[in-house]
Amino acid sequence: MKLFSTKQIAEVDRFTIENEPVTDIDLMERAAMQITTWIAQRFSEENKMVFFAGPGNNGGDALAVSRQLAERGYRGAVYLLDFGKPLKGSPAINWKRLEEQGKVELHRIQSIDDFPETNPSDILIDGLFGSGLSRPLEGLPAAIVRKINGLPNKVIAIDIPSGLMGEDNSGNIPENIVNAYFTLTLQFPKISFLFSENERYTGSWEVLPIGLDPEGIAQTPSKLFLVDKKEVTEMIPRRSRFAHKGTFGHALLIAGSYGKMGASVLASKACLRAGTGLLTSHVPRMGYSIIQTAVPEAMTSVDPHDSIFTEFPDLSPFTAVGIGPGIGVKSNTRKALHELLERVQVPMVFDADALNILSENKEWLKQLPENSILTPHPGEFRRLAGESANTWERIQQQRQMARELKVIIVLKGAFTTIAMPDGKLFFNATGNPGMATAGSGDTLTGIILGLLAQRLPPQHAAVMGVFLHGLAGDLAARKKSINALIASDITEFLGEAFLEMESVSAF
């Protein structure tokens, strides 16, 4: 699914109006009906609806929703932000319709003294400012927002919380942004909704379709995407009845050290469950019995060192190599990683301590094989790329680094971002907070390696691996709860994740 900037969304709106054709007021009515239906399904007529409307189209949406809810028997009051200028266009039409309907209290806010008294059970609807905002709120609008945020009432934001910008909020003023409980966004999520620091403003958000023209969407270019199930399903390799284990590749996983053999076990099991035909797990000598016992399906390559990784086996049998989980950062390990970079000729996955070693030897980054997959968490990425002020700035660093090094960077977290060498950026929508647990990243490394070993294009292995990892975590959380989730649960439910994808492809 394409993601667009707020300016691009406005262009798709215009394309729809011009080519459907549909008038602006009718498109507003269509959007308002989606919001009205959502509210009516969740709140009873006992709740009074208090609308705060601005003079623009976001306010016009709020006016239309207030009228539609009144037709359904809801009590409502509208407070219009009044700058002393007459309303124009569709907002003016909707104000007149409210006057003619006569079922909604109509008020104007010309100073903060006009702010209404509310009951705690009232539902506040924020329609002050939409996604076209380009500077922080000031003056009366900011004062209204602070008043709203000081109330105990639930707040529903129309399209975007007033004061929040659709992409970069670096220069914004946090206290002048509405803290919504729900955000009902129209047709597309705004890019800023996908950043952790903005959750306090958006609350729970939901995308409501308003029927924007598919051709307009298709014709509008974008390098930002939200990964969807259908797209990932098309990436899953189909297995021939006559295939054998050699058909599905041979993965080499270099993981584990003294006290951290669990990382090797977790990544090995996930790699096998992701479908690689063969797996060799390279471990220090003391880890031999552990990996042979815990993962009998894996072959074992034993390092000459008792407790750390110091050298790798002959690379000729392998179709992909993964390195990093639990290997430590000792000098012998650093040397072995550098030698591996000089000799490897197959796709690679780098995680955990491999990334920490690279961050201490940044000149080695230029030796990364093209289309290598790096899977840092935010701390590891910060060590690789430097500090950033917020998520927007961080993903710009991520995209630039992916382009310059010609690698794929998977930046882990809620809405994990996957940056491609060609500048494309994918946001992943699967996963849950229960996956913030020790070893979760090791399972992701194993899954991506297992897919890469099957000779999937690295871009597909990264996107598909992240999506399946999150989906397996979601399925596990349904059975075991978010609080009780552990990393091995993700691997346990990976098969169910594949089955769910197969059910999509069956139709």
Side-chain angles (χ1 to χ4, degrees):
M1 173 186 175
K2 284 183 179 178
L3 294 174
F4 297 114
S5 69
T6 53
K7 288 183 179 179
Q8 288 176 309
I9 294 171
E11 290 169 6
V12 177
D13 279 346
R14 283 193 292 272
F15 185 97
T16 301
I17 291 168
E18 292 169 4
N19 291 273
E20 187 169 333
V22 61
T23 63
D24 180 70
I25 187 65
D26 288 336
L27 186 60
M28 185 175 286
E29 193 74 6
R30 185 191 296 175
M33 185 55 69
Q34 289 287 335
I35 297 166
T36 297
T37 301
W38 189 97
I39 293 173
Q41 289 172 345
R42 290 160 179 81
F43 298 96
S44 75
E45 293 89 337
E46 295 177 4
N47 298 106
K48 183 178 181 180
M49 302 292 162
V50 179
F51 292 81
F52 293 90
N57 280 346
N58 193 248
D61 290 336
L63 298 178
V65 173
S66 69
R67 173 175 43 78
Q68 292 174 1
L69 283 172
E71 290 292 344
R72 297 186 184 210
Y74 286 81
R75 294 176 298 121
V78 167
Y79 290 83
L80 177 68
L81 179 58
D82 187 352
F83 291 116
K85 298 178 181 179
L87 292 176
K88 295 180 180 179
S90 296
I93 293 171
N94 273 316
W95 182 264
K96 184 178 180 182
R97 288 177 177 177
L98 277 171
E99 290 178 324
E100 292 171 349
Q101 183 197 51
K103 293 182 178 181
V104 178
E105 301 171 23
L106 300 179
H107 308 272
R108 294 177 182 267
I109 300 181
Q110 296 176 320
S111 75
I112 198 60
D113 294 333
D114 299 324
F115 193 90
E117 295 288 332
T118 60
N119 292 317
S121 62
D122 294 346
I123 306 299
L124 309 187
I125 315 292
D126 166 33
L128 288 168
F129 294 94
S131 57
L133 199 68
S134 60
R135 62 172 187 259
L137 296 183
E138 299 174 336
L140 179 57
I144 293 171
V145 167
R146 290 194 294 269
K147 277 275 195 177
I148 290 172
N149 288 344
L151 296 173
N153 306 66
K154 286 184 178 178
V155 179
I156 300 172
I158 293 176
D159 199 32
I160 189 169
S162 291
L164 186 67
M165 297 172 202
E167 294 87 43
D168 184 9
N169 283 271
S170 301
N172 214 333
I173 302 172
E175 59 268 27
N176 293 352
I177 304 172
V178 164
N179 297 332
Y181 193 83
F182 298 107
T183 297
L184 305 180
T185 193
L186 305 175
Q187 193 72 42
F188 308 99
K190 308 305 177 281
I191 294 165
S192 60
F193 291 7
L194 306 174
F195 304 159
S196 60
E197 61 266 28
N198 296 330
E199 183 181 23
R200 60 181 285 198
Y201 310 121
T202 64
S204 299
W205 55 267
E206 188 168 334
V207 179
L208 302 182
I210 60 171
L212 294 185
D213 192 285
E215 187 178 347
I217 294 170
Q219 289 183 6
T220 304
S222 179
K223 286 200 168 185
L224 304 181
F225 302 87
L226 186 65
V227 181
D228 60 46
K229 191 176 290 186
K230 184 177 182 298
E231 180 183 14
V232 174
T233 300
E234 292 170 354
M235 298 177 184
I236 298 176
R238 300 295 179 256
R239 297 200 166 201
S240 165
R241 182 180 296 272
F242 299 99
H244 53 81
K245 61 187 178 184
T247 307
F248 304 111
H250 189 169
L252 172 64
L253 174 66
I254 300 169
S257 60
Y258 183 78
K260 296 180 180 178
M261 280 304 300
S264 180
V265 171
L266 288 166
S268 295
K269 287 185 174 181
C271 182
L272 286 160
R273 192 69 77 181
T276 186
L278 295 161
L279 168 65
T280 294
S281 296
H282 182 86
V283 297
R285 187 180 298 143
M286 52 70 54
Y288 171 75
S289 60
I290 295 173
I291 201 75
Q292 287 279 271
T293 303
V295 195
E297 299 89 347
M299 294 179 284
T300 305
S301 166
V302 181
D303 198 278
H305 197 283
D306 280 342
S307 58
I308 61 172
F309 161 58
T310 62
E311 65 178 53
F312 48 88
D314 173 25
L315 297 174
S316 59
F318 305 112
T319 52
V321 177
I323 183 169
I327 63 172
V329 294
K330 301 283 188 183
S331 58
N332 287 357
T333 301
R334 292 199 300 270
K335 180 181 177 183
L337 173 59
H338 191 222
E339 290 175 355
L340 180 64
L341 287 175
E342 292 177 332
R343 290 178 52 186
V344 72
Q345 295 183 352
V346 295
M348 289 194 70
V349 184
F350 295 85
D351 184 33
D353 286 327
L355 298 174
N356 291 329
I357 292 171
L358 289 173
S359 69
E360 294 173 356
N361 301 273
K362 290 190 172 64
E363 66 277 10
W364 297 358
L365 291 170
K366 296 179 181 178
Q367 295 179 254
L368 293 173
E370 195 167 317
N371 287 317
S372 291
I373 302 172
L374 283 63
T375 62
H377 59 56
E380 291 162 347
F381 183 75
R382 184 170 59 251
R383 290 190 283 275
L384 282 168
E387 295 290 337
S388 56
N390 51 46
T391 307
W392 175 259
E393 187 175 306
R394 189 169 65 212
I395 64 173
Q396 305 316 313
Q397 289 179 319
Q398 180 189 3
R399 296 176 76 186
Q400 180 180 351
M401 189 174 186
R403 282 192 296 262
E404 290 178 353
L405 299 178
K406 298 181 180 178
V407 298
I408 298 163
I409 301 178
V410 175
L411 183 49
K412 295 180 288 195
F415 297 106
T416 289
T417 48
I418 307 156
M420 301 297 180
D422 62 1
K424 290 179 180 176
L425 185 76
F426 295 82
F427 291 84
N428 183 64
T430 58
N432 61 79
M435 297 174 70
T437 185
S440 179
D442 302 328
T443 65
L444 177 62
T445 298
I447 292 168
I448 294 175
L449 176 60
L451 297 171
L452 202 57
Q454 296 174 67
R455 303 178 182 86
L456 266 72
Q459 293 85 349
H460 287 187
V463 170
M464 181 178 164
V466 171
F467 186 91
L468 285 169
H469 179 257
L471 179 58
D474 290 340
L475 294 168
R478 291 177 201 169
K479 294 284 182 71
K480 302 195 175 186
S481 86
I482 286 176
N483 292 331
L485 195 67
I486 58 175
S488 55
D489 295 333
I490 299 169
T491 301
E492 180 185 338
F493 281 83
L494 192 57
E496 289 194 27
F498 274 109
L499 286 172
E500 185 159 317
M501 302 304 292
E502 289 174 12
S503 70
V504 173
S505 64
F507 294 98

